[in-house]
Amino acid sequence: MTIAILSMKTNPSTENATATKSLAVLLAVATVLYSIIWFPGFSWGTYAEMTDHKVDQMDLYFLLFGLMPMLFLVLIWIQGGVPTVSSSAWIPRWVPKHRLLNSWSRGDIFGMAAVVLANLIWWFVPAISRIVAPPAHGMGGEAPHEMTVRLVFDKIFGWAGMAGVWDAGYCILFAVRENAFAKTVLGKDGGQYHRGLKYHIVFGYWSFGLITLHSLYYILAYLADNTLAEKILPWVNAYGFYNFYGLIAWICMILMIATSVFKVRRLNYRIFYWTHQLYVPFLLFSALHYYVIWYAVVGPLIYLIFDRLAPRLRFKRQTLASIKRVSHDTVRMDISNPSGYAYGPGDWVNVLVPQISSLNWHPFSIASSYTVSSNLTLFCKANGPWTSALLDLGQKEIEIPVKVDGPFGSNHRMHHKYQSLVVVAGGAGVAALCPYIVEWAKTGKPLTIYWSCKRYEDFLPYQELLNTVHQHKWINLNLHVTRDQMRDCKQVDVPDQLLSSKQDQEPTRNASQFVLALVVFVFGALGYVFGRLFVFSFNMDYCMSTDSYIAGGMDQFVCWYWYYFGPLTLPVVMSLLAGFGWIFVASSRSQRVAGVVTLEQQWTLDMIQSRFTVKVGRPDLIFFETDQRVAVLAAGPNSMVKHCETMAVSNGHSFFQESWKV
């Protein structure tokens, strides 16, 4: 239990924190209400007309309530914003009986309820408002029709598609790795990357379901009316452009969803990754189908651009790495950190090795602790073509150029509120837990480690962990071998020097990121305004004629592409160009050089056997049945982590899981 001691005198820092927290709440409410209020405002006739040289009320509403609050939330986070939700809200408390279902916390239940409520509002509020009180004029100047059963279904399933597009916008928002919005609103634990991915998946399925309902309904309706070719083929009717591009967008979404299911993703991650890039044509063709989607996706796209560019300021993207094979299936990679960026426990990076592939990025947890070494140590286990090629490359210790994207992570400290910590690691999963063990060892509080591997030699790559446990005799280390018997194994050398620094600090958020956020969002807003105001020679009568679809060159581009693409593509292009420009300026500053530290000793199999007890078989996690409440950290195979989580939550303990990349 945490006891807060409050001073009778006013503390200026407390007042500032309270003011920041209140501002974050207001900005978060404004961002959420933006999407909720947009639908009735649009459905009652306040929608963007197909005109040039005009920024209307909906555009101003988007800039003021859709984009600016998001920018200010990012700026608050960069300055170390105060979380508005207690971290305890995200501790798992309920475990479903089915093994495929995830555990639930109070925050999860509230979040999922909010997603369902938002979709019902996005879908049914505009549909019902159009049915009950249709606007005085129809879309595109059409005269209002007498309401029939068919028109009621048209409204309901028509607005399902628009609701699905808003889901797609939030899907982009929760694909952000360093989610400033989620971390500021939900707290560090609620805003972790793996929690954001949960909402990314939920919004993705909602988007797919609603857009599929929308598409199937109109295909069946056109078949019933015997007008399918006229309504969908652009060479039959000019209006076929709208529906034809909508059909292509739907096909792109089907491919993304089909390749994102768990089994396909596990079978071939590359297929999943590259088909997910279809979100670009999905958005472009969706804009051609119904141009106002920019209100839903431009803000998240600009925010995604900032998220992808910010790591270039925190860590030098192109650097050197020393790699060496340290076991029969594991490579150790020590990456130079010339910028001195302070990473934290649980952080991870994406790594690209040009000698293997110039396109494939792979994520790995950082196994080193910044308090010991400022460079990044990764343990890469061969588990596919890319990692197998890395294993072959590291047969002898060599230095190679690499590209690094990151680090990312929540860097939370929630488990420090407990008096005891239990760490459960399976195989290479211990790499993600090493920084936590090193950090906890400094506290002197009880620490129990259960570490199981298939073979005895699998313990050898993690020399720093063995040193830490050996130096702190009170740490209870339980080693287990699940398949192998004790035998003579070839000793593998490990690097005896590491780039290091003795500084101990939180991950830095510097002024360069602050300026980058301003540059990206401001130029994104300018790009949107320019896309709305500037239109080439534009003839409404010609573009809406039935013969315009045969036009070529600039006429066809202006009629069918520019007006729809401008407000969607110009914000993205201008944000990217301005962001890269600032990174070029900021990266010209001098970088700090790290020092050198030497490992105390190198462990061998004989040393492990003589100084630690190694048992054969899986560990017996008896701590789950004790009355003392402990914090539990686990990493390794999914089945093992799921089992630990179920047992921990069922016995009243607190389970913590980061966005492990092992």
Side-chain angles (χ1 to χ4, degrees), residues 34-51:
Y34 160 72
S35 63
I36 301 298
I37 298 175
W38 183 88
F39 275 89
F42 186 90
S43 63
W44 290 332
T46 314
Y47 50 81
E49 299 286 353
M50 193 173 178
T51 56

Side-chain angles (χ1 to χ4, degrees), residues 44 95 226 259 262 363 608 633:
W44 290 332
V95 180
N226 200 25
T259 56
F262 180 80
I608 293 176
L633 285 169

Side-chain angles (χ1 to χ4, degrees), residues 358-392:
S358 58
L359 296 176
N360 291 345
W361 292 82
H362 281 252
F364 296 98
S365 285
I366 300 175
S368 54
S369 173
Y370 187 82
T371 59
V372 178
S373 171
S374 69
N375 90 323
L376 277 59
T377 298
L378 314 178
F379 289 97
C380 312
K381 184 176 180 180
N383 196 27
W386 191 92
T387 47
S388 296
L390 184 66
L391 188 69
D392 295 336

Side-chain angles (χ1 to χ4, degrees), residues 401-658:
V402 296
K403 292 184 179 180
V404 179
D405 185 27
F408 308 103
S410 66
N411 194 28
H412 79 89
R413 296 289 188 272
M414 184 65 180
H415 57 283
H416 280 281
K417 295 182 178 181
Y418 298 84
Q419 293 303 312
S420 298
L421 175 67
V422 176
V423 172
V424 183
V430 76
L433 299 171
C434 285
Y436 288 94
I437 295 172
V438 173
E439 183 184 61
W440 185 274
K442 297 179 180 180
T443 66
K445 294 189 290 186
L447 171 60
T448 301
I449 303 173
Y450 293 92
W451 182 12
S452 58
C453 292
K454 294 180 181 179
R455 305 171 184 85
Y456 279 89
E457 64 263 31
D458 292 341
F459 297 116
L460 289 176
Y462 308 96
Q463 298 278 313
E464 292 87 342
L465 174 59
L466 296 172
N467 279 332
T468 299
V469 175
H470 181 64
Q471 292 168 2
H472 302 84
K473 304 297 184 182
W474 47 267
I475 296 179
N476 181 15
L477 177 62
N478 300 274
L479 299 179
H480 293 263
V481 176
T482 58
R483 293 186 183 179
D484 212 357
Q485 299 295 329
M486 189 63 187
R487 57 185 175 85
D488 294 332
C489 300
K490 182 180 179 181
Q491 175 63 34
V492 184
D493 294 333
V494 297
D496 59 358
Q497 287 189 330
L498 300 172
L499 291 172
S500 70
S501 171
K502 294 299 181 182
Q503 297 186 19
D504 185 5
Q505 56 181 321
E506 293 292 319
T508 55
R509 302 185 179 101
N510 50 35
S512 295
Q513 284 186 277
F514 193 92
V515 176
L516 177 65
L518 288 174
V519 167
V520 168
F521 277 86
V522 169
F523 274 85
L526 292 175
Y528 177 81
V529 171
F530 185 74
R532 288 288 284 142
L533 290 179
F534 179 75
V535 179
F536 301 101
S537 56
F538 189 82
N539 187 319
M540 174 70 77
D541 294 334
Y542 172 75
C543 288
M544 299 306 294
S545 66
T546 56
D547 294 331
S548 63
Y549 68 92
I550 63 174
M554 185 59 67
D555 289 336
Q556 187 184 48
F557 175 77
V558 171
C559 286
W560 297 108
Y561 298 96
W562 170 256
Y563 179 79
Y564 307 94
F565 279 6
L568 182 62
T569 57
L570 282 184
V572 173
V573 172
M574 291 184 67
S575 294
L576 280 172
L577 293 177
F580 275 115
W582 171 247
I583 289 173
F584 177 79
V585 173
S587 62
S588 61
R589 296 176 300 174
S590 60
Q591 305 286 351
R592 185 175 65 85
V593 179
V596 175
V597 69
T598 304
L599 289 175
E600 294 185 3
Q601 63 178 326
Q602 295 184 15
W603 287 80
T604 64
L605 290 174
D606 292 337
M607 293 170 62
I608 293 176
Q609 186 182 24
S610 62
R611 300 185 186 185
F612 301 111
T613 301
V614 183
K615 298 180 180 179
V616 178
R618 300 185 182 278
D620 183 13
L621 305 178
I622 58 175
F623 74 89
F624 286 126
E625 301 175 0
T626 62
D627 295 332
Q628 181 185 6
R629 189 174 184 183
V630 300
V632 182
L633 285 169
N638 290 331
S639 58
M640 185 212 74
V641 174
K642 181 65 178 177
H643 176 68
C644 290
E645 181 180 16
T646 301
M647 292 189 64
V649 175
S650 302
N651 287 275
H653 303 298
S654 296
F655 182 84
F656 300 94
Q657 180 185 2
E658 283 281 356

